[in-house]
Amino acid sequence: MKFLYPDDSTALHTDAYELTMMQTYWKQGIGNRRAVFETFFRKMPFENGYAVFAGLDHIIRYINSLHFTKSDIDYLRTTNQFDDDFLDYLADFHFTGNIRSMAEGELVFNHEPIIQVEGTLLETQLVETAILNVINYQIMVATKAARIKSIVGDQTVMEFGTRRAQEFDAALWGTRAAYIGGFDATSNVRAGKLFGIPISGTHAHALVQTYRNDYDAFRAYAQTHHDCVFLVDTYDTLRSGVPNAIRVAHEMGDKINFIGVRIDSGDMAYLSKKVRQMLDNAGFPNAKIIASNDLDEKTISNLKMQGAKIDTWGVGTKLITAYDQPTLGAVYKMVSVEDDNGQMVDTIKLSNNVSKMSTPGKHQVWRITDCKDDKSEGDYVTLVDEDPRKQDSLFMFDPNYTFLNKTVTDFKARPLLQDIFINGKQVYDEPNLEEIRAARQRHLDKLWDEYKRDLNPEVYPVDLSQKCYDNKMKMIKQIHDKIRKMR
Ligand SMILES: Nc1ncnc2c1ncn2[C@@H]1O[C@H](COP(=O)(O)OP(=O)(O)OP(=O)(O)O)[C@@H](O)[C@H]1O
Ligand SMILES: O=P(O)(O)OC[C@H]1O[C@H](OP(=O)(O)OP(=O)(O)O)[C@H](O)[C@@H]1O
Ligand SMILES: O=C(O)c1cccnc1
């Protein structure tokens, strides 16, 4: 298998149907018509009350480098599905459209547009797969990380998942998403180098197995490192691991920084309490107890309930694989397209299931907060030419159950979709990871606790403006009338 092309690119990181549709548009002479697509998801991940947006940085890199190389075009030619003139067009392709997106670290909710792509039919179609690929994973991990962090609180939680992740890219970008979601450090050294995430870690059972006893292994580690965490469960946590960790800590004294011990198996509530007593009695009250082994927010919460004496948590598999839900299910739907007369017309995807219908038109999403307490009232989806900041009061209603409504006065409205690319040029100055993390925390502070509990949270309102709702209803009726006439 020929795998590593010197000029490989990510342009072919797309589904074949995007390219075959592009060829249709191109050969039919409509490829340069304008279109607008919006990305949204239908169900909150992990039944959480909010999701954390991550993935924009990867999308920006993808768009900035989007072009077909010689080997891409040569390969497409071998498939015999594409004509030479279309391939010549692809050879010169670059993205010329507009992208608006939520910022990373923003809290996002189901049924609201989180990324909007506007451009030619050709380019808007091409980028669908990659955009969905990125956010369907990163939002899951950022949200899972935020759930775990909400249980861990002020304690430190480290990301340990690389070895269990779905391949290299998932480990790397998943680590970044976890950091955005609230994790404090990672064991992935490359993520440290590339993204500036603090790296952290202990040692593995292999070290103890190499020396074939706890004492020699801990001593060897202590002679070669200043900061020491000893993994104490290789043979017998209470009878060998912890006594030998204490012995080495005493022997080495000030020559090392004895941070603490890691437990990776057994009953962690019971063991951590016993270990705490042993460390305290030995004169190490500040030594930390670190726990790992298939942890997630449920186990951590349960361990805390049992009074486990754990200070620091290491979480791998269940975070990096978004264990309880393999994908977010985000979709990319056309909301507006240029017609034969050069006019933009709204489009809709109908379904028997109301929640699966798309919302026609190009939108903005506004976060409405109460001026008095600075808490979020809900999100308000408008058509792009509306500006709720010009209104004194806002009538907010649930688009599925319109009798659920309220009128909000004395409010602030913050537009959430920001310009990222205009006419193919990046106009967005990306915040650094620390700023993104701080933003996530600020946004969480504005959310009522009822949306933040990890079990059965209240449903956060995502409402449509009257104009947006009327537009949707009008389109549904128009299409139903048209179908009825055809029968
Ligand atoms: N006190 C506890 N309450 C709830 N869950 C716990 C408790 N202690 C450990 N666990 C969790 O129970 C699961 C099983 O842990 P345990 O160490 O018994 O099995 P294991 O992983 O098969 O052990 P080993 O690594 O020795 O094979 C892990 O997910 C662990 O985090
Ligand atoms: O359980 P997770 O949440 O996925 O966290 C990562 C796991 O990876 C390591 O185990 P592994 O058996 O691979 O190596 P080790 O010898 O260092 O324990 C570590 O000890 C954790 O148990
Ligand atoms: O440093 C650690 O303790 C670590 C790193 C990766 C996976 N498990 C544990």
Side-chain angles (χ1 to χ4, degrees):
M1 183 174 65
K2 197 169 171 187
F3 191 58
L4 290 172
Y5 292 89
D7 68 343
D8 193 35
S9 86
T10 51
L12 299 188
H13 192 81
T14 190
D15 293 304
Y17 80 171
E18 314 286 11
L19 290 165
T20 56
M21 283 187 283
M22 285 170 77
Q23 174 159 283
T24 302
Y25 301 144
W26 195 81
K27 289 191 90 67
Q28 294 280 312
I30 62 165
N32 285 323
R33 285 194 188 173
R34 305 291 289 172
V36 185
F37 285 83
E38 288 179 348
T39 299
F40 61 94
F41 56 90
R42 297 184 171 111
K43 267 176 55 193
M44 294 304 293
F46 320 113
E47 297 180 3
N48 206 43
Y50 61 88
V52 176
F53 182 63
L56 181 60
D57 179 66
H58 199 178
I59 291 171
I60 289 175
R61 291 172 198 233
Y62 161 74
I63 295 287
N64 275 329
S65 65
L66 185 55
H67 73 288
F68 293 83
T69 63
K70 179 169 180 313
S71 67
D72 294 336
I73 301 289
D74 289 348
Y75 168 70
L76 288 177
R77 209 179 304 279
T78 66
T79 67
N80 292 326
Q81 293 193 45
F82 303 102
D83 294 349
D84 286 345
D85 49 356
F86 176 63
L87 292 178
D88 289 346
Y89 155 76
L90 286 186
D92 279 338
F93 176 93
H94 57 275
F95 185 80
T96 64
N98 306 330
I99 295 184
R100 294 200 295 163
S101 171
M102 302 277 188
E104 289 188 302
E106 189 63 82
L107 305 185
V108 293
F109 300 89
N110 47 347
H111 297 294
E112 67 189 15
I114 46 183
I115 299 180
Q116 182 185 75
V117 182
E118 176 176 17
T120 65
L121 259 177
L122 291 161
E123 62 197 3
T124 53
Q125 198 71 70
L126 176 67
V127 299
E128 168 178 12
T129 312
I131 288 178
L132 291 179
N133 183 200
V134 168
I135 65 160
N136 270 317
Y137 175 63
Q138 289 203 35
I139 292 178
M140 299 295 290
V141 178
T143 307
K144 185 77 177 167
R147 278 174 70 76
I148 294 170
K149 184 65 183 173
S150 77
I151 299 298
V152 163
D154 290 337
Q155 294 181 319
T156 298
V157 56
M158 297 181 284
E159 188 284 313
F160 277 175
T162 293
R163 63 191 56 205
R164 313 273 194 252
Q166 275 88 350
E167 269 279 4
F168 273 49
D169 271 11
L172 193 69
W173 290 104
T175 294
R176 186 177 178 278
Y179 193 58
I180 289 177
F183 269 48
D184 300 289
T186 179
S187 61
N188 186 312
V189 185
R190 189 161 165 244
K193 175 187 167 198
L194 295 181
F195 301 130
I197 300 171
I199 60 165
S200 186
T202 68
H203 69 75
H205 295 107
L207 183 92
V208 180
Q209 290 172 267
T210 297
Y211 289 89
R212 294 200 298 283
N213 73 74
D214 289 307
Y215 175 72
D216 287 343
F218 299 162
R219 187 150 179 97
Y221 197 86
Q223 281 166 343
T224 48
H225 295 276
H226 184 64
D227 291 336
C228 292
V229 176
F230 302 127
L231 173 60
V232 290
D233 73 334
T234 306
Y235 301 123
D236 187 317
T237 301
L238 299 181
R239 278 191 286 207
S240 171
V242 177
N244 280 306
I246 289 171
R247 184 177 159 201
V248 171
H250 274 310
E251 286 173 6
M252 298 298 287
D254 286 347
K255 290 199 208 90
I256 63 166
N257 172 24
F258 177 44
I259 295 174
V261 298
R262 174 161 75 100
I263 311 173
D264 189 51
S265 59
D267 182 330
M268 287 198 270
Y270 171 78
L271 285 175
S272 64
K273 289 178 207 172
K274 289 278 176 206
V275 173
R276 182 73 272 153
Q277 270 175 5
M278 292 165 82
L279 291 170
D280 289 352
N281 293 342
F284 295 108
N286 296 324
K288 303 244 177 297
I289 298 177
I290 297 155
S292 56
N293 185 17
D294 262 334
L295 295 173
D296 65 3
E297 68 276 29
K298 294 181 203 96
T299 338
I300 294 173
S301 161
N302 208 278
L303 283 166
K304 281 178 171 265
M305 230 172 54
Q306 296 168 54
K309 299 283 184 200
I310 296 167
D311 306 287
T312 299
W313 309 83
V315 181
T317 311
K318 290 190 171 163
L319 165 80
I320 210 78
T321 65
Y323 194 77
D324 15 29
Q325 191 182 322
T327 187
L328 178 65
V331 295
Y332 181 87
K333 294 289 165 199
M334 184 185 275
V335 291
S336 181
V337 65
E338 187 179 335
D339 70 5
D340 292 344
N341 305 315
Q343 299 298 312
M344 291 304 288
V345 288
D346 294 346
T347 63
I348 188 170
K349 160 80 183 71
L350 288 191
S351 165
N352 289 336
N353 179 343
V354 155
S355 75
K356 283 202 150 189
M357 286 185 193
S358 63
T359 302
K362 182 178 160 187
H363 301 104
Q364 177 56 282
V365 186
W366 304 83
R367 180 133 314 146
I368 308 299
T369 45
D370 187 318
C371 285
K372 285 189 290 300
D373 50 28
D374 208 26
K375 294 285 189 196
S376 303
E377 291 279 357
D379 283 4
Y380 189 68
V381 181
T382 65
L383 293 174
V384 79
D385 58 0
E386 297 180 78
D387 187 345
R389 290 172 298 193
K390 293 185 180 146
Q391 292 174 230
D392 292 333
S393 68
L394 215 55
F395 181 61
M396 296 180 72
F397 60 92
D398 184 313
N400 295 322
Y401 307 100
T402 51
F403 55 88
L404 296 175
N405 59 57
K406 61 185 174 191
T407 300
V408 185
T409 54
D410 199 18
F411 65 90
K412 273 190 277 192
R414 183 168 64 88
L416 302 187
L417 291 174
Q418 306 188 27
D419 288 328
I420 312 295
F421 286 88
I422 296 182
N423 297 331
K425 282 242 155 350
Q426 185 181 338
V427 293
Y428 182 64
D429 200 9
E430 276 191 80
N432 65 40
L433 269 180
E434 299 310 319
E435 289 166 335
I436 293 171
R437 279 160 63 81
R440 185 213 67 243
Q441 192 52 54
R442 258 196 330 274
H443 302 323
L444 274 173
D445 290 345
K446 289 182 195 251
L447 205 61
W448 290 107
D449 288 345
E450 287 71 14
Y451 303 118
K452 286 193 276 197
R453 62 177 176 243
D454 66 316
L455 188 65
N456 303 323
E458 287 293 323
V459 176
Y460 182 85
V462 175
D463 298 343
L464 300 183
S465 72
Q466 189 70 54
K467 196 168 161 188
C468 192
Y469 178 81
D470 291 345
N471 188 47
K472 183 170 182 171
M473 293 305 126
K474 187 183 79 188
M475 288 212 66
I476 294 173
K477 183 168 182 319
Q478 273 172 359
I479 291 176
H480 282 163
D481 288 350
K482 206 158 141 190
I483 294 170
R484 217 170 289 125
K485 278 196 198 120
M486 275 162 36
R487 284 215 210 108

